[in-house]
Amino acid sequence: MIPGNDKACVLLQEIGLPAVRLTPITAEVIGCNELFSSLVDPATSVERRLWFVEGVLPGINAADRAAWQIAFARRTPVQIHVEFESVEGRTLEFEMRSTVSGGRGEVTESVLCVFISLTTPVFERRCDARLSEGQELERTRMRDELHRGVSQQLLGAAFGCKVLAGKVAKLNESLGKEAAALAELVNETVNELQSLVKSNQT
Amino acid sequence: MVENHEDTVRYMQLYLQQLGYEVAVAADMAKALLEIPQSQCDVLISDIGLPDGDGWQLMELLGTNRPRFAIAMSGYGTGNDQRRSRDVGYDHHLVKPFTPDALLALLHQAEKMKENLP
């Protein structure tokens, strides 16, 4: 995804906050705003997807980096100190807040990192409220995607498996049992996804 | 059954037919409004999000032509959604995705209700 296409990042850009969205596990950049891209020295990494790994992580001290990596692996929010170097060679200090969009195991799960400049603390109070707005926007997006996509397809699959299990059982008892087990597995997945849908709507 | 998602319609219809139910399908509200009054169906299963309206409007427009038992299906299951479904006359509001067994349990309720009618 190119900078400017991610709704949450665009919103954060409007209030002056650099932001980047990452894939879980590999921390590849899948979306960001222009403020973020202006912080990263393009010389550090040619590939946009590696902007975070090669352009941000090196600016984090060892202790903070370890804390971030643990939080990243556990999908928990974290706040750490990050430094960038300006074009003029000045050190730019930021607090980086990371949060996970979506629940554990979701296909659309991603990690959103927002950078708050420590040189303008008055701005921080404003951004807290706007960050909540960004999270709400994200929840809405997830809910809509769940409804339009995964939920609907899984519903069809659950009924399809039942139909198949019924037909196969008439032809072959052993295969019928396997098909029934598959249908049950899909049922369990349906129940898990439904819990997720409900928790996303409360 | 009023639903416009092709795969859902296909497999739900096959499943219900496999169990011995007779199923008529409408992909939108306009078709449902035309066909339900003539079909004398026992149960209405309708998606809330329809291409030309919604399942709540459908129930209101059906008026006295509505089947005795109605089940709403929706990806949205907040308190407001469920309340609105009840208010317009649905007996149940199923949140998608749901298991075939959940739908079957409701159809059994509908059968019992029909048996108990005078």
Side-chain angles (χ1 to χ4, degrees), chain A residues 144 147 152 160 163 187 194 201, chain B residues 5 8 18 75-77 95-96:
Chain A
D144 288 346
H147 178 216
Q152 198 77 44
V163 170
N187 269 2
Q194 196 182 55
Q201 294 181 355
Chain B
H5 190 269
T8 304
Q18 202 175 57
Y76 300 99
V95 180
K96 289 179 183 178

Side-chain angles (χ1 to χ4, degrees), chain A residues 143-144 147 151-152 155-156 158-160 162-163 166-167 187 190-191 193-194 197-198 201, chain B residues 3 5 7-8 11-12 14-15 18 74-78 95-101 103:
Chain A
R143 191 170 57 220
D144 288 346
H147 178 216
S151 293
Q152 198 77 44
L155 183 63
F159 280 86
K162 275 279 191 182
V163 170
K167 285 184 177 175
N187 269 2
V190 165
N191 286 328
L193 184 64
Q194 196 182 55
V197 169
K198 283 179 177 168
Q201 294 181 355
Chain B
E3 166 69 79
H5 190 269
D7 288 337
T8 304
Y11 291 117
M12 278 181 71
L14 282 172
Y15 174 70
Q18 202 175 57
S74 173
Y76 300 99
T78 63
V95 180
K96 289 179 183 178
F98 51 84
T99 62
D101 291 345
L103 178 63

Side-chain angles (χ1 to χ4, degrees), chain A residues 67-142:
Chain A
W68 184 82
Q69 282 167 339
I70 289 168
F72 184 70
R74 290 178 180 168
R75 312 276 194 275
T76 51
V78 69
Q79 301 175 19
I80 56 160
H81 186 260
V82 184
E83 289 183 359
F84 295 95
E85 193 172 291
S86 74
V87 183
E88 302 84 27
R90 284 187 297 116
T91 299
L92 305 172
E93 292 183 278
F94 286 85
E95 179 184 275
M96 182 180 82
R97 295 185 181 188
S98 299
T99 184
V100 173
S101 300
R104 186 186 290 268
E106 285 180 34
V107 287
T108 50
E109 188 178 71
S110 60
V111 176
L112 183 67
C113 301
V114 183
F115 299 82
I116 299 152
S117 172
L118 295 176
T119 54
T120 54
V122 68
F123 199 63
E124 195 176 338
R125 288 194 292 274
R126 240 184 93 195
C127 86
D128 275 343
R130 298 305 293 264
L131 189 59
S132 298
E133 279 180 36
Q135 286 171 333
E136 182 53 37
L137 196 70
E138 211 27 42
R139 274 194 289 271
T140 304
R141 185 182 69 84
M142 289 292 302

Side-chain angles (χ1 to χ4, degrees), chain B residues 91-107:
Chain B
D91 297 278
H92 290 278
H93 180 109
L94 281 175
V95 180
K96 289 179 183 178
F98 51 84
T99 62
D101 291 345
L103 178 63
L104 195 57
L106 294 182
L107 293 177

Side-chain angles (χ1 to χ4, degrees), chain B residues 8-66:
Chain B
T8 304
V9 167
R10 182 177 172 212
Y11 291 117
M12 278 181 71
Q13 186 176 18
L14 282 172
Y15 174 70
L16 294 173
Q17 284 172 339
Q18 202 175 57
L19 295 174
Y21 293 101
E22 195 178 322
V23 186
V25 174
D28 55 44
M29 190 166 74
K31 194 177 174 204
L33 286 169
L34 276 177
E35 295 190 2
I36 290 172
Q38 298 162 19
S39 68
Q40 296 181 321
C41 61
D42 297 309
V43 180
L44 166 67
I45 305 169
S46 177
D47 192 14
I48 291 299
L50 298 172
D52 55 348
D54 60 52
W56 298 313
Q57 287 175 308
L58 172 65
M59 277 295 268
E60 285 169 344
L61 292 169
L62 279 172
T64 56
N65 288 317
R66 64 179 64 169

